[in-house]
Amino acid sequence: QAMLLPACRASLVRLAEAMEGTDGPAERDALIAGVTRADSAVRNACLAALDFADLTELDHSAELWLNVGGVGAVALEENAVLARALWTDNGLEIGPELIADIVPFLNHQASEIRSCAARSIALSIKDVGEDQGDLVGTALALLKEAYGRWYISLEPEYDRFGLVVPGTQHRVDIAEARVAVGDALLHLAPLLTSAGQVRDLVHFLVHKRVLGERSEAVRSAMLAAGAQAVASHGAKWSDDVLPVLEAFLAERDEGTAAYDYIREGVVVLLGRLAQHLPDTAEGRVADAVDQLVATLPTPAEAVQSAVAECLPPLAKRITDDHFGRVVAAIMASALTGESYSQRRGGAYGLAGMIKGRGLAALKKLQIIDQLRDACEDKKVYQRRQGALFAFETLSATMGRLFEPYIIQFIPTLLNLFSDSNASVREAALDTARVIMGNISGHGVKLILP
């Protein structure tokens, strides 16, 4: 029980103090094993007791160092201070062997241990100071290897007689370990020391299909690691990373959910990377915008939404002529696209481009007039549906800045609720939900009859 913890800790420390000078490897190893227990209070007691143990015979201790990665909670940070003091006092060393011994703890049953281990790998490299390149390369290779080892098939295996191989049924997915690998890569990303290492990480995420794996939590962790690598090194090594992303976008669409997940991640990374291109690389920025826009028809709303989030900062950096051409193409896709995904993607793209240039672009390019005319087109339902998609995404993206246009649009929206086409009526309902979710109290008063 919690009330007994202080007394138990004090007793363990007194016992260790009494054994000081007479303890052997068995006692030392028992205390070291305790610093990887799930309960932080137990780890704290063992760390305090280790102050009286002789650790000088050890070259390193992964169990001890992973506690240095504790942050956030007071108990974790206290453990980190104790662990680092023990490491320094006993002259323990950091090297490739330490990192290799820490990696298995990414698959520990306790989430605190996994998190500490993920952070401690990067901390070990930071402590080395200069000449980190080899150690970073070792860590990167070990983490990629661990991911491959922990990404197992959940399908049973069969022998040559068609019988299930014993032990291959009901496999449990160890996604938590792969999430921890992603967290470790996230902390490692700012420490990458060469273009080759950054390219290697991005290639692993994209072309090894890591961004398309079955666990959403793992995909998010890996994408965060890739985004951190791009944010930290994109300005310096964009020319090395960009071809990796462009090569994937040039591939044929596989039409699978996994492929859509990867494409979404690549779009995010491409958008982040393009922001780091120098001001003199206007052509490269323009090409990146064109590539992002080309992915908008992808029949996956997550991809389309990711493109819309990447476009605003890039829209500010292209010429007015190019901006006008892109918006015109997007408008055509939104209003006259043959498929649902083309119209939906066009609406997302329009919202992203307009957010980048501001509401002045709406007036200059007469966007609202075009959308209103499309809403009143009684012959082609796709134009009415596409226009509603555009109003929905513009309202969601621009928020209350778009409110004056929304108030003018309400009568048209109400008419479309009784449209003869069910797809248009459904789009009108979705648009109304988004509008009412973003409108201010003053706006509500204006639109009430």
Tab-separated table of all heavy atoms in Angstrom, residues 355-416:
chain	number	residue	atom	x	y	z
A	355	LYS	N	-6.723	30.027	-47.527
A	355	LYS	CA	-6.211	30.318	-46.183
A	355	LYS	C	-4.810	30.907	-46.266
A	355	LYS	O	-4.436	31.772	-45.469
A	355	LYS	CB	-6.207	29.049	-45.338
A	355	LYS	CG	-5.762	29.298	-43.901
A	355	LYS	CD	-5.827	28.040	-43.067
A	355	LYS	CE	-5.406	28.322	-41.624
A	355	LYS	NZ	-5.459	27.099	-40.783
A	356	GLY	N	-4.023	30.457	-47.241
A	356	GLY	CA	-2.671	30.967	-47.385
A	356	GLY	C	-2.617	32.416	-47.816
A	356	GLY	O	-1.751	33.173	-47.374
A	357	ARG	N	-3.537	32.815	-48.685
A	357	ARG	CA	-3.524	34.186	-49.214
A	357	ARG	C	-4.508	35.120	-48.514
A	357	ARG	O	-4.440	36.342	-48.697
A	357	ARG	CB	-3.839	34.160	-50.716
A	357	ARG	CG	-2.703	33.629	-51.585
A	357	ARG	CD	-1.501	34.563	-51.535
A	357	ARG	NE	-0.443	34.149	-52.436
A	357	ARG	CZ	-0.240	34.636	-53.650
A	357	ARG	NH1	-1.050	35.578	-54.132
A	357	ARG	NH2	0.763	34.215	-54.395
A	358	GLY	N	-5.443	34.569	-47.748
A	358	GLY	CA	-6.393	35.421	-47.036
A	358	GLY	C	-7.664	35.684	-47.832
A	358	GLY	O	-7.798	35.313	-49.007
A	359	LEU	N	-8.600	36.323	-47.166
A	359	LEU	CA	-9.914	36.560	-47.765
A	359	LEU	C	-9.858	37.465	-48.989
A	359	LEU	O	-10.768	37.449	-49.824
A	359	LEU	CB	-10.856	37.165	-46.717
A	359	LEU	CG	-11.206	36.266	-45.525
A	359	LEU	CD1	-12.116	37.010	-44.550
A	359	LEU	CD2	-11.882	34.989	-46.009
A	360	ALA	N	-8.809	38.277	-49.107
A	360	ALA	CA	-8.700	39.159	-50.274
A	360	ALA	C	-8.684	38.353	-51.565
A	360	ALA	O	-9.182	38.812	-52.607
A	360	ALA	CB	-7.434	40.005	-50.164
A	361	ALA	N	-8.136	37.129	-51.501
A	361	ALA	CA	-8.099	36.288	-52.701
A	361	ALA	C	-9.491	35.856	-53.126
A	361	ALA	O	-9.748	35.650	-54.321
A	361	ALA	CB	-7.221	35.060	-52.438
A	362	LEU	N	-10.409	35.719	-52.172
A	362	LEU	CA	-11.783	35.359	-52.522
A	362	LEU	C	-12.416	36.405	-53.426
A	362	LEU	O	-13.063	36.094	-54.432
A	362	LEU	CB	-12.624	35.207	-51.245
A	362	LEU	CG	-12.444	33.942	-50.406
A	362	LEU	CD1	-13.271	34.053	-49.138
A	362	LEU	CD2	-12.846	32.709	-51.193
A	363	LYS	N	-12.202	37.672	-53.060
A	363	LYS	CA	-12.798	38.761	-53.832
A	363	LYS	C	-12.081	38.956	-55.162
A	363	LYS	O	-12.716	39.149	-56.211
A	363	LYS	CB	-12.746	40.047	-53.011
A	363	LYS	CG	-13.468	41.219	-53.654
A	363	LYS	CD	-13.506	42.419	-52.708
A	363	LYS	CE	-14.287	43.574	-53.325
A	363	LYS	NZ	-14.333	44.750	-52.404
A	364	LYS	N	-10.759	38.880	-55.120
A	364	LYS	CA	-9.984	39.116	-56.336
A	364	LYS	C	-10.304	38.087	-57.409
A	364	LYS	O	-10.419	38.422	-58.601
A	364	LYS	CB	-8.495	39.090	-56.002
A	364	LYS	CG	-7.594	39.354	-57.198
A	364	LYS	CD	-6.133	39.350	-56.783
A	364	LYS	CE	-5.233	39.625	-57.986
A	364	LYS	NZ	-3.791	39.628	-57.601
A	365	LEU	N	-10.455	36.841	-57.018
A	365	LEU	CA	-10.710	35.761	-57.988
A	365	LEU	C	-12.195	35.446	-58.128
A	365	LEU	O	-12.547	34.490	-58.829
A	365	LEU	CB	-9.947	34.502	-57.557
A	365	LEU	CG	-8.422	34.642	-57.481
A	365	LEU	CD1	-7.790	33.355	-56.980
A	365	LEU	CD2	-7.850	35.015	-58.847
A	366	GLN	N	-13.032	36.209	-57.434
A	366	GLN	CA	-14.493	36.061	-57.534
A	366	GLN	C	-14.935	34.622	-57.190
A	366	GLN	O	-15.793	34.046	-57.845
A	366	GLN	CB	-14.972	36.447	-58.938
A	366	GLN	CG	-14.653	37.900	-59.290
A	366	GLN	CD	-15.108	38.288	-60.686
A	366	GLN	OE1	-15.117	37.456	-61.606
A	366	GLN	NE2	-15.505	39.542	-60.865
A	367	ILE	N	-14.346	34.097	-56.157
A	367	ILE	CA	-14.640	32.721	-55.769
A	367	ILE	C	-16.095	32.568	-55.314
A	367	ILE	O	-16.801	31.642	-55.734
A	367	ILE	CB	-13.690	32.268	-54.639
A	367	ILE	CG1	-12.232	32.338	-55.096
A	367	ILE	CG2	-14.042	30.863	-54.172
A	367	ILE	CD1	-11.885	31.423	-56.213
A	368	ILE	N	-16.543	33.480	-54.470
A	368	ILE	CA	-17.897	33.362	-53.921
A	368	ILE	C	-18.937	33.455	-55.023
A	368	ILE	O	-19.932	32.712	-55.023
A	368	ILE	CB	-18.134	34.445	-52.847
A	368	ILE	CG1	-17.142	34.267	-51.680
A	368	ILE	CG2	-19.567	34.381	-52.329
A	368	ILE	CD1	-17.244	32.933	-50.986
A	369	ASP	N	-18.730	34.346	-55.983
A	369	ASP	CA	-19.680	34.468	-57.099
A	369	ASP	C	-19.753	33.168	-57.891
A	369	ASP	O	-20.848	32.727	-58.287
A	369	ASP	CB	-19.268	35.615	-58.025
A	369	ASP	CG	-19.429	36.983	-57.358
A	369	ASP	OD1	-20.199	37.063	-56.374
A	369	ASP	OD2	-18.780	37.942	-57.806
A	370	GLN	N	-18.612	32.550	-58.124
A	370	GLN	CA	-18.600	31.281	-58.861
A	370	GLN	C	-19.314	30.181	-58.085
A	370	GLN	O	-20.058	29.377	-58.663
A	370	GLN	CB	-17.160	30.860	-59.151
A	370	GLN	CG	-16.406	31.792	-60.086
A	370	GLN	CD	-14.998	31.289	-60.344
A	370	GLN	OE1	-14.805	30.183	-60.859
A	370	GLN	NE2	-13.998	32.097	-59.991
A	371	LEU	N	-19.109	30.147	-56.775
A	371	LEU	CA	-19.753	29.123	-55.965
A	371	LEU	C	-21.261	29.353	-55.898
A	371	LEU	O	-22.045	28.387	-55.947
A	371	LEU	CB	-19.158	29.125	-54.546
A	371	LEU	CG	-17.683	28.723	-54.423
A	371	LEU	CD1	-17.221	28.819	-52.978
A	371	LEU	CD2	-17.455	27.310	-54.951
A	372	ARG	N	-21.661	30.615	-55.803
A	372	ARG	CA	-23.097	30.910	-55.750
A	372	ARG	C	-23.773	30.532	-57.071
A	372	ARG	O	-24.874	29.964	-57.078
A	372	ARG	CB	-23.296	32.393	-55.446
A	372	ARG	CG	-24.758	32.752	-55.159
A	372	ARG	CD	-24.917	34.212	-54.811
A	372	ARG	NE	-24.303	34.522	-53.520
A	372	ARG	CZ	-23.238	35.309	-53.378
A	372	ARG	NH1	-22.663	35.846	-54.429
A	372	ARG	NH2	-22.763	35.562	-52.184
A	373	ASP	N	-23.103	30.827	-58.182
A	373	ASP	CA	-23.665	30.446	-59.492
A	373	ASP	C	-23.791	28.925	-59.603
A	373	ASP	O	-24.778	28.416	-60.165
A	373	ASP	CB	-22.768	30.968	-60.618
A	373	ASP	CG	-22.820	32.490	-60.735
A	373	ASP	OD1	-23.754	33.091	-60.191
A	373	ASP	OD2	-21.905	33.060	-61.369
A	374	ALA	N	-22.794	28.197	-59.073
A	374	ALA	CA	-22.848	26.740	-59.133
A	374	ALA	C	-23.995	26.190	-58.298
A	374	ALA	O	-24.646	25.210	-58.678
A	374	ALA	CB	-21.519	26.157	-58.649
A	375	CYS	N	-24.254	26.828	-57.156
A	375	CYS	CA	-25.357	26.391	-56.302
A	375	CYS	C	-26.709	26.562	-56.985
A	375	CYS	O	-27.667	25.837	-56.688
A	375	CYS	CB	-25.351	27.177	-54.988
A	375	CYS	SG	-24.033	26.698	-53.847
A	376	GLU	N	-26.795	27.508	-57.893
A	376	GLU	CA	-28.063	27.801	-58.576
A	376	GLU	C	-28.195	27.076	-59.909
A	376	GLU	O	-29.179	27.265	-60.624
A	376	GLU	CB	-28.183	29.312	-58.781
A	376	GLU	CG	-28.264	30.078	-57.454
A	376	GLU	CD	-28.205	31.586	-57.637
A	376	GLU	OE1	-28.024	32.020	-58.800
A	376	GLU	OE2	-28.337	32.306	-56.638
A	377	ASP	N	-27.195	26.234	-60.233
A	377	ASP	CA	-27.247	25.456	-61.471
A	377	ASP	C	-28.180	24.262	-61.273
A	377	ASP	O	-27.831	23.303	-60.588
A	377	ASP	CB	-25.842	24.984	-61.848
A	377	ASP	CG	-25.778	24.322	-63.206
A	377	ASP	OD1	-26.833	23.850	-63.685
A	377	ASP	OD2	-24.692	24.261	-63.801
A	378	LYS	N	-29.359	24.326	-61.870
A	378	LYS	CA	-30.363	23.286	-61.663
A	378	LYS	C	-30.149	22.057	-62.545
A	378	LYS	O	-30.794	21.027	-62.336
A	378	LYS	CB	-31.761	23.857	-61.940
A	378	LYS	CG	-32.134	25.041	-61.069
A	378	LYS	CD	-32.127	24.680	-59.589
A	378	LYS	CE	-32.556	25.866	-58.723
A	378	LYS	NZ	-32.498	25.529	-57.282
A	379	LYS	N	-29.243	22.157	-63.514
A	379	LYS	CA	-29.076	21.058	-64.467
A	379	LYS	C	-28.042	20.025	-64.011
A	379	LYS	O	-28.219	18.837	-64.237
A	379	LYS	CB	-28.677	21.621	-65.832
A	379	LYS	CG	-29.739	22.510	-66.473
A	379	LYS	CD	-29.278	23.014	-67.832
A	379	LYS	CE	-30.335	23.893	-68.479
A	379	LYS	NZ	-29.905	24.395	-69.816
A	380	VAL	N	-26.963	20.498	-63.411
A	380	VAL	CA	-25.848	19.601	-63.062
A	380	VAL	C	-25.710	19.545	-61.540
A	380	VAL	O	-25.256	20.513	-60.919
A	380	VAL	CB	-24.526	20.080	-63.698
A	380	VAL	CG1	-23.416	19.074	-63.421
A	380	VAL	CG2	-24.690	20.290	-65.202
A	381	TYR	N	-26.096	18.405	-60.961
A	381	TYR	CA	-26.072	18.318	-59.496
A	381	TYR	C	-24.642	18.338	-58.952
A	381	TYR	O	-24.409	18.759	-57.812
A	381	TYR	CB	-26.811	17.057	-59.038
A	381	TYR	CG	-25.959	15.806	-59.008
A	381	TYR	CD1	-25.215	15.461	-57.877
A	381	TYR	CD2	-25.892	14.955	-60.118
A	381	TYR	CE1	-24.440	14.321	-57.849
A	381	TYR	CE2	-25.119	13.813	-60.092
A	381	TYR	CZ	-24.390	13.500	-58.961
A	381	TYR	OH	-23.616	12.371	-58.939
A	382	GLN	N	-23.681	17.867	-59.768
A	382	GLN	CA	-22.293	17.849	-59.293
A	382	GLN	C	-21.785	19.245	-58.970
A	382	GLN	O	-21.003	19.428	-58.026
A	382	GLN	CB	-21.384	17.203	-60.341
A	382	GLN	CG	-21.573	15.704	-60.513
A	382	GLN	CD	-22.589	15.368	-61.582
A	382	GLN	OE1	-23.426	16.221	-61.953
A	382	GLN	NE2	-22.541	14.139	-62.081
A	383	ARG	N	-22.222	20.239	-59.729
A	383	ARG	CA	-21.803	21.615	-59.458
A	383	ARG	C	-22.378	22.100	-58.130
A	383	ARG	O	-21.689	22.763	-57.356
A	383	ARG	CB	-22.227	22.539	-60.600
A	383	ARG	CG	-21.352	22.400	-61.836
A	383	ARG	CD	-21.883	23.206	-63.017
A	383	ARG	NE	-22.130	24.605	-62.714
A	383	ARG	CZ	-21.191	25.554	-62.673
A	383	ARG	NH1	-19.923	25.240	-62.905
A	383	ARG	NH2	-21.508	26.805	-62.402
A	384	ARG	N	-23.619	21.762	-57.877
A	384	ARG	CA	-24.229	22.174	-56.608
A	384	ARG	C	-23.545	21.477	-55.436
A	384	ARG	O	-23.243	22.096	-54.411
A	384	ARG	CB	-25.738	21.863	-56.612
A	384	ARG	CG	-26.500	22.524	-57.745
A	384	ARG	CD	-28.001	22.485	-57.519
A	384	ARG	NE	-28.554	21.136	-57.437
A	384	ARG	CZ	-28.869	20.370	-58.475
A	384	ARG	NH1	-28.638	20.814	-59.725
A	384	ARG	NH2	-29.397	19.172	-58.318
A	385	GLN	N	-23.292	20.182	-55.580
A	385	GLN	CA	-22.627	19.437	-54.514
A	385	GLN	C	-21.211	19.963	-54.274
A	385	GLN	O	-20.797	20.170	-53.130
A	385	GLN	CB	-22.566	17.950	-54.878
A	385	GLN	CG	-21.976	17.082	-53.772
A	385	GLN	CD	-21.701	15.664	-54.252
A	385	GLN	OE1	-21.134	15.460	-55.325
A	385	GLN	NE2	-22.108	14.679	-53.464
A	386	GLY	N	-20.455	20.193	-55.340
A	386	GLY	CA	-19.089	20.695	-55.211
A	386	GLY	C	-19.039	22.061	-54.547
A	386	GLY	O	-18.147	22.343	-53.735
A	387	ALA	N	-19.996	22.927	-54.894
A	387	ALA	CA	-20.036	24.249	-54.282
A	387	ALA	C	-20.305	24.151	-52.783
A	387	ALA	O	-19.716	24.884	-51.974
A	387	ALA	CB	-21.105	25.107	-54.954
A	388	LEU	N	-21.191	23.227	-52.398
A	388	LEU	CA	-21.458	23.022	-50.971
A	388	LEU	C	-20.209	22.501	-50.256
A	388	LEU	O	-19.906	22.922	-49.135
A	388	LEU	CB	-22.620	22.041	-50.802
A	388	LEU	CG	-24.006	22.612	-51.099
A	388	LEU	CD1	-25.042	21.501	-51.207
A	388	LEU	CD2	-24.415	23.613	-50.028
A	389	PHE	N	-19.491	21.576	-50.909
A	389	PHE	CA	-18.237	21.104	-50.327
A	389	PHE	C	-17.282	22.274	-50.079
A	389	PHE	O	-16.604	22.343	-49.048
A	389	PHE	CB	-17.561	20.099	-51.258
A	389	PHE	CG	-18.234	18.756	-51.328
A	389	PHE	CD1	-18.013	17.899	-52.402
A	389	PHE	CD2	-19.087	18.337	-50.321
A	389	PHE	CE1	-18.614	16.659	-52.469
A	389	PHE	CE2	-19.721	17.093	-50.380
A	389	PHE	CZ	-19.472	16.261	-51.458
A	390	ALA	N	-17.219	23.183	-51.041
A	390	ALA	CA	-16.311	24.323	-50.932
A	390	ALA	C	-16.702	25.229	-49.766
A	390	ALA	O	-15.850	25.682	-48.989
A	390	ALA	CB	-16.281	25.103	-52.232
A	391	PHE	N	-18.001	25.519	-49.634
A	391	PHE	CA	-18.437	26.349	-48.514
A	391	PHE	C	-18.146	25.658	-47.184
A	391	PHE	O	-17.762	26.308	-46.205
A	391	PHE	CB	-19.942	26.647	-48.635
A	391	PHE	CG	-20.258	27.863	-49.450
A	391	PHE	CD1	-20.813	27.746	-50.707
A	391	PHE	CD2	-19.994	29.131	-48.959
A	391	PHE	CE1	-21.097	28.871	-51.469
A	391	PHE	CE2	-20.280	30.266	-49.708
A	391	PHE	CZ	-20.828	30.123	-50.976
A	392	GLU	N	-18.307	24.342	-47.148
A	392	GLU	CA	-18.027	23.590	-45.924
A	392	GLU	C	-16.555	23.685	-45.529
A	392	GLU	O	-16.228	24.002	-44.378
A	392	GLU	CB	-18.420	22.128	-46.119
A	392	GLU	CG	-18.066	21.240	-44.934
A	392	GLU	CD	-18.227	19.765	-45.255
A	392	GLU	OE1	-18.911	19.433	-46.244
A	392	GLU	OE2	-17.639	18.945	-44.522
A	393	THR	N	-15.664	23.420	-46.490
A	393	THR	CA	-14.232	23.423	-46.163
A	393	THR	C	-13.719	24.833	-45.895
A	393	THR	O	-12.850	25.026	-45.035
A	393	THR	CB	-13.432	22.781	-47.301
A	393	THR	OG1	-13.724	23.446	-48.543
A	393	THR	CG2	-13.767	21.297	-47.436
A	394	LEU	N	-14.247	25.823	-46.598
A	394	LEU	CA	-13.833	27.205	-46.342
A	394	LEU	C	-14.257	27.646	-44.945
A	394	LEU	O	-13.494	28.308	-44.231
A	394	LEU	CB	-14.423	28.143	-47.395
A	394	LEU	CG	-13.749	28.119	-48.767
A	394	LEU	CD1	-14.613	28.844	-49.797
A	394	LEU	CD2	-12.362	28.753	-48.701
A	395	SER	N	-15.466	27.272	-44.551
A	395	SER	CA	-15.942	27.634	-43.217
A	395	SER	C	-15.110	26.936	-42.147
A	395	SER	O	-14.725	27.545	-41.139
A	395	SER	CB	-17.417	27.244	-43.070
A	395	SER	OG	-17.887	27.522	-41.770
A	396	ALA	N	-14.785	25.648	-42.359
A	396	ALA	CA	-14.001	24.907	-41.382
A	396	ALA	C	-12.579	25.446	-41.281
A	396	ALA	O	-11.987	25.494	-40.195
A	396	ALA	CB	-13.972	23.425	-41.755
A	397	THR	N	-12.017	25.858	-42.409
A	397	THR	CA	-10.623	26.300	-42.442
A	397	THR	C	-10.463	27.754	-41.991
A	397	THR	O	-9.558	28.073	-41.224
A	397	THR	CB	-10.054	26.150	-43.868
A	397	THR	OG1	-10.188	24.785	-44.270
A	397	THR	CG2	-8.593	26.544	-43.919
A	398	MET	N	-11.335	28.619	-42.469
A	398	MET	CA	-11.196	30.055	-42.182
A	398	MET	C	-11.858	30.460	-40.874
A	398	MET	O	-11.548	31.518	-40.320
A	398	MET	CB	-11.805	30.873	-43.329
A	398	MET	CG	-11.235	30.565	-44.707
A	398	MET	SD	-9.481	30.905	-44.837
A	398	MET	CE	-9.472	32.691	-44.666
A	399	GLY	N	-12.782	29.634	-40.390
A	399	GLY	CA	-13.435	29.957	-39.124
A	399	GLY	C	-14.309	31.193	-39.220
A	399	GLY	O	-15.004	31.419	-40.219
A	400	ARG	N	-14.232	32.029	-38.205
A	400	ARG	CA	-15.117	33.193	-38.142
A	400	ARG	C	-14.741	34.284	-39.149
A	400	ARG	O	-15.533	35.192	-39.390
A	400	ARG	CB	-15.125	33.757	-36.723
A	400	ARG	CG	-15.766	32.794	-35.732
A	400	ARG	CD	-15.873	33.365	-34.336
A	400	ARG	NE	-16.489	32.395	-33.424
A	400	ARG	CZ	-16.702	32.615	-32.127
A	400	ARG	NH1	-16.313	33.773	-31.592
A	400	ARG	NH2	-17.268	31.693	-31.380
A	401	LEU	N	-13.543	34.211	-39.713
A	401	LEU	CA	-13.193	35.177	-40.753
A	401	LEU	C	-14.099	35.027	-41.967
A	401	LEU	O	-14.323	35.987	-42.714
A	401	LEU	CB	-11.733	34.984	-41.175
A	401	LEU	CG	-10.660	35.334	-40.138
A	401	LEU	CD1	-9.283	34.973	-40.665
A	401	LEU	CD2	-10.724	36.821	-39.805
A	402	PHE	N	-14.621	33.826	-42.157
A	402	PHE	CA	-15.476	33.547	-43.315
A	402	PHE	C	-16.946	33.830	-43.022
A	402	PHE	O	-17.797	33.693	-43.881
A	402	PHE	CB	-15.290	32.079	-43.724
A	402	PHE	CG	-15.853	31.718	-45.061
A	402	PHE	CD1	-15.347	32.281	-46.227
A	402	PHE	CD2	-16.880	30.800	-45.169
A	402	PHE	CE1	-15.856	31.955	-47.467
A	402	PHE	CE2	-17.400	30.447	-46.403
A	402	PHE	CZ	-16.879	31.037	-47.553
A	403	GLU	N	-17.236	34.261	-41.813
A	403	GLU	CA	-18.625	34.419	-41.368
A	403	GLU	C	-19.460	35.378	-42.217
A	403	GLU	O	-20.631	35.084	-42.515
A	403	GLU	CB	-18.639	34.851	-39.904
A	403	GLU	CG	-19.995	34.787	-39.244
A	403	GLU	CD	-19.902	34.963	-37.737
A	403	GLU	OE1	-19.341	34.079	-37.065
A	403	GLU	OE2	-20.374	36.012	-37.254
A	404	PRO	N	-18.931	36.536	-42.648
A	404	PRO	CA	-19.760	37.432	-43.464
A	404	PRO	C	-20.281	36.772	-44.741
A	404	PRO	O	-21.419	37.030	-45.163
A	404	PRO	CB	-18.808	38.590	-43.798
A	404	PRO	CG	-17.812	38.582	-42.678
A	404	PRO	CD	-17.630	37.145	-42.325
A	405	TYR	N	-19.471	35.920	-45.347
A	405	TYR	CA	-19.913	35.231	-46.558
A	405	TYR	C	-20.957	34.168	-46.236
A	405	TYR	O	-21.860	33.906	-47.037
A	405	TYR	CB	-18.720	34.592	-47.264
A	405	TYR	CG	-17.688	35.591	-47.731
A	405	TYR	CD1	-16.544	35.827	-46.987
A	405	TYR	CD2	-17.869	36.305	-48.911
A	405	TYR	CE1	-15.597	36.753	-47.399
A	405	TYR	CE2	-16.924	37.230	-49.342
A	405	TYR	CZ	-15.791	37.444	-48.574
A	405	TYR	OH	-14.853	38.377	-48.987
A	406	ILE	N	-20.825	33.558	-45.057
A	406	ILE	CA	-21.764	32.523	-44.646
A	406	ILE	C	-23.165	33.101	-44.462
A	406	ILE	O	-24.168	32.512	-44.876
A	406	ILE	CB	-21.288	31.848	-43.340
A	406	ILE	CG1	-20.067	30.979	-43.615
A	406	ILE	CG2	-22.384	31.028	-42.708
A	406	ILE	CD1	-20.303	29.853	-44.585
A	407	ILE	N	-23.238	34.274	-43.853
A	407	ILE	CA	-24.536	34.891	-43.593
A	407	ILE	C	-25.254	35.175	-44.901
A	407	ILE	O	-26.481	34.983	-45.033
A	407	ILE	CB	-24.344	36.174	-42.762
A	407	ILE	CG1	-23.813	35.799	-41.370
A	407	ILE	CG2	-25.640	36.953	-42.652
A	407	ILE	CD1	-23.400	36.973	-40.523
A	408	GLN	N	-24.523	35.604	-45.922
A	408	GLN	CA	-25.118	35.841	-47.235
A	408	GLN	C	-25.545	34.539	-47.913
A	408	GLN	O	-26.467	34.522	-48.743
A	408	GLN	CB	-24.135	36.576	-48.136
A	408	GLN	CG	-23.672	37.933	-47.611
A	408	GLN	CD	-22.566	38.521	-48.450
A	408	GLN	OE1	-22.363	38.133	-49.600
A	408	GLN	NE2	-21.821	39.464	-47.873
A	409	PHE	N	-24.862	33.443	-47.548
A	409	PHE	CA	-25.094	32.158	-48.216
A	409	PHE	C	-26.258	31.387	-47.616
A	409	PHE	O	-26.779	30.456	-48.246
A	409	PHE	CB	-23.799	31.336	-48.112
A	409	PHE	CG	-23.909	29.922	-48.588
A	409	PHE	CD1	-24.165	29.640	-49.922
A	409	PHE	CD2	-23.763	28.858	-47.700
A	409	PHE	CE1	-24.271	28.328	-50.362
A	409	PHE	CE2	-23.854	27.553	-48.131
A	409	PHE	CZ	-24.099	27.280	-49.467
A	410	ILE	N	-26.708	31.736	-46.420
A	410	ILE	CA	-27.732	30.965	-45.722
A	410	ILE	C	-28.999	30.756	-46.546
A	410	ILE	O	-29.516	29.626	-46.614
A	410	ILE	CB	-28.071	31.621	-44.366
A	410	ILE	CG1	-26.883	31.463	-43.399
A	410	ILE	CG2	-29.318	30.993	-43.747
A	410	ILE	CD1	-26.528	30.023	-43.083
A	411	PRO	N	-29.587	31.788	-47.203
A	411	PRO	CA	-30.806	31.532	-48.007
A	411	PRO	C	-30.589	30.473	-49.088
A	411	PRO	O	-31.460	29.617	-49.307
A	411	PRO	CB	-31.106	32.903	-48.617
A	411	PRO	CG	-30.491	33.885	-47.671
A	411	PRO	CD	-29.253	33.225	-47.180
A	412	THR	N	-29.447	30.512	-49.742
A	412	THR	CA	-29.145	29.510	-50.770
A	412	THR	C	-29.027	28.125	-50.145
A	412	THR	O	-29.520	27.128	-50.695
A	412	THR	CB	-27.830	29.865	-51.490
A	412	THR	OG1	-27.956	31.165	-52.064
A	412	THR	CG2	-27.518	28.866	-52.579
A	413	LEU	N	-28.387	28.054	-48.988
A	413	LEU	CA	-28.227	26.772	-48.299
A	413	LEU	C	-29.584	26.186	-47.930
A	413	LEU	O	-29.821	24.979	-48.101
A	413	LEU	CB	-27.371	26.970	-47.047
A	413	LEU	CG	-27.160	25.738	-46.158
A	413	LEU	CD1	-26.443	24.631	-46.923
A	413	LEU	CD2	-26.366	26.097	-44.906
A	414	LEU	N	-30.492	27.016	-47.451
A	414	LEU	CA	-31.814	26.532	-47.068
A	414	LEU	C	-32.561	25.975	-48.277
A	414	LEU	O	-33.271	24.963	-48.166
A	414	LEU	CB	-32.616	27.666	-46.420
A	414	LEU	CG	-32.082	28.171	-45.072
A	414	LEU	CD1	-32.888	29.359	-44.570
A	414	LEU	CD2	-32.084	27.048	-44.039
A	415	ASN	N	-32.420	26.600	-49.410
A	415	ASN	CA	-33.070	26.089	-50.623
A	415	ASN	C	-32.527	24.720	-51.018
A	415	ASN	O	-33.277	23.854	-51.492
A	415	ASN	CB	-32.869	27.067	-51.780
A	415	ASN	CG	-33.695	28.337	-51.626
A	415	ASN	OD1	-34.748	28.320	-50.979
A	415	ASN	ND2	-33.225	29.432	-52.195
A	416	LEU	N	-31.216	24.517	-50.808
A	416	LEU	CA	-30.603	23.258	-51.210
A	416	LEU	C	-30.976	22.103	-50.291
A	416	LEU	O	-30.761	20.937	-50.637
A	416	LEU	CB	-29.078	23.419	-51.261
A	416	LEU	CG	-28.568	24.341	-52.379
A	416	LEU	CD1	-27.070	24.566	-52.256
A	416	LEU	CD2	-28.898	23.752	-53.744
